[in-house]
Each structure stands twice: as structure tokens, then as C-alpha cells.
Amino acid sequence: MKTIAIITARGGSKRIPKKNIKEFLGKPIIAYSIEAALSSGIFDEVMVSTDSEEIAEVAKKYGASVPFMRSAKTSDDYATTADVLLEVIDEYKKRGTEFDYMACLYPTNPFISADKLKSAMELISKGECDEVVPVVAFSYPPQRGYVFNDDDTINYKWEEFRNSRSQDLEKIYHDAGQFYFYDVKRFVETGGIMKTIKPVICPEIEVQDIDNEEDWELAELKVEFLRRRRR
């Protein structure tokens, strides 16, 4: 069984300039994803899909391969992640290499670890699902969320849960925004719309979306905290 890690790293970030290669606690943030994939030992290929020569050079410095550049079609604001992954799989196929499994890794998540990737590989390789996704529980029950009315007052979205205790409500999870592990054949057949999904559950301290500078600082604080805790 052949497995590929695809790190999707388009250039041109607007909210955080050069986001994918910005220094994060001593090294470019993309290096965390590359190093986690390489150290897991489960991938036959660890590659970066990018339209940026600068990102490509940094990726290669940290051990990833960049055998081809991303096309203009999959580099604009309308291209989906599925478009990018399908392009990569197709290009490798044209070059005579096919894969059974693939992991799509985000380039800006320092919480990706070799252990999480190995756990996901173990799940996907059992053949009981088409996709594995790291998830985290909502820190506050979404069932008790508010919504705005037209007059700027607020109401409970679900009035029936107004007096429910948090511990009595069903626990709901959301995407941790770290990576996705796929059965390649099923991904190609469905265009990336997978139905049988299994989770890798992450603790909240190991999850942080990075969309702006404040998010970036929070992520650094969390990583520093985790490093101190592991000493």
C-alpha cells in the first residue's frame, strides 16, 4: 500500500503576509507539518503543492518534495482543496505513480503530530471508513447558542434547550483543522465527498485556527505551554 502526504500551501496570504512560511517559534510554520509527516514514517512521499517558488524552496529545505508546481487553475480563490488534491493525484498518475491512501495536511498547524497521523493511518487502513478527520469538542454547547433578530435583540437558537444542563446535552465536535486522511480510490470516485468518516479526537489545547495575528499569538502560547508540560 502506497501513501502520500500532500501539504497544500498556496502563496499570497492577505491577512497574514507569507503566512505559510512565517517564522513560528524558531522555524517556518510549514516545517511543523513537513516534520510531522516525515517523522511518522508512514508516507512513501511527502510533497508540497504550491504556486510559490519561495514556499517551494522552504519546503525542500525541510525535507519535502515539490516535483511540480500547482497550476493556475488550482491557485485562484475559487479552487477547492478537493480540486488541488485531485490535480496532485492525477499528475502523479501521469508520472507512473499511484497511491492507495493520502493525507492532506494544512501548512499552518503546528499541532499536527506524527502520533496523530499514525492513528489516522491505522484507522483508514482497516477499510472501515473512507476518511479520517481530527476533531475537537465544542468548548460550550452549541445547542444553547444565541442568534440575532432584526432589531438587534437575541434569542436562543433552540429554545427547547434553554434550561438544559450542559452535561445533559449531546457532545458535538468540529473539525480541528489539521489534516484529512483519505482512501484515494473513494476520493477520486466521489470527487472528495466522503460519507464514511472516523475521528481522531484532539484535546482543546492542541487546536487553534490561525486566521489573523491574534490567532497566531494564541497558537504560539499553546505550543509553548505544551512544550513546558512535556518536559
Side-chain angles (χ1 to χ4, degrees), residues 3-227:
T3 308
I4 183 172
I6 303 169
I7 300 168
T8 55
R10 193 177 67 141
S13 175
K14 297 177 177 65
R15 286 175 290 188
I16 303 177
K18 296 188 177 182
K19 175 182 176 180
N20 291 327
I21 53 174
K22 181 179 177 179
E23 185 173 300
F24 184 98
L25 299 179
K27 58 188 173 185
I29 195 165
I30 194 174
Y32 291 84
S33 296
I34 295 170
E35 290 173 348
L38 291 170
S39 64
S40 73
I42 61 175
F43 297 107
D44 298 281
E45 178 88 339
V46 176
M47 69 88 68
V48 170
S49 171
T50 185
D51 58 337
S52 164
E53 293 288 352
E54 188 175 13
I55 291 174
E57 287 305 309
V58 172
K60 287 185 280 189
K61 177 182 175 182
Y62 283 90
S65 66
V66 188
F68 47 84
M69 300 299 287
R70 190 182 298 190
S71 69
K73 183 179 179 180
T74 57
S75 298
D76 64 27
D77 292 335
Y78 302 100
T80 65
T81 299
D83 293 333
V84 174
L85 298 179
L86 289 168
E87 178 181 75
V88 170
I89 291 301
D90 186 57
E91 186 61 36
Y92 271 99
K93 187 175 181 179
K94 290 176 182 176
R95 296 168 182 235
T97 303
E98 296 188 54
F99 297 94
D100 301 285
Y101 303 110
M102 68 175 169
C104 171
L105 280 65
Y106 284 150
T108 55
N109 204 300
F111 302 99
I112 293 175
S113 68
D115 285 342
K116 288 177 188 173
L117 291 168
K118 286 189 282 189
S119 294
M121 181 66 197
E122 184 177 350
L123 284 171
I124 198 81
S125 62
K126 289 179 179 178
E128 298 173 354
C129 62
D130 301 324
E131 179 181 0
V132 177
V133 179
V135 299
V136 61
F138 280 95
S139 58
Y140 185 85
Q143 298 96 324
R144 296 190 63 197
Y146 289 107
V147 291
F148 272 83
N149 301 311
D150 292 338
D151 61 357
D152 288 337
T153 60
I154 56 175
N155 288 336
Y156 283 102
K157 173 66 175 175
W158 294 281
E159 184 66 30
E160 63 269 31
F161 298 122
R162 172 190 283 270
N163 296 315
S164 298
R165 300 186 307 165
S166 297
Q167 59 266 40
D168 294 333
L169 295 171
E170 180 182 12
K171 187 170 283 191
I172 298 178
Y173 296 80
H174 65 87
D175 185 349
Q178 297 185 5
F179 64 86
Y180 308 92
F181 229 110
Y182 299 105
D183 178 295
V184 172
K185 182 180 178 181
R186 291 290 298 137
F187 189 90
V188 172
E189 287 175 349
T190 65
I193 302 173
M194 316 301 270
K195 292 185 178 180
T196 309
I197 304 169
K198 288 199 172 184
V200 171
I201 299 175
C202 302
E204 190 173 356
I205 190 64
E206 295 180 11
V207 176
Q208 179 64 50
D209 281 338
I210 303 178
D211 293 323
N212 53 49
E213 293 290 349
E214 185 176 273
D215 293 338
W216 190 281
E217 292 175 11
L218 283 171
E220 287 185 324
L221 288 171
K222 286 185 176 182
V223 170
E224 288 177 326
F225 171 79
L226 289 167
R227 287 176 177 176

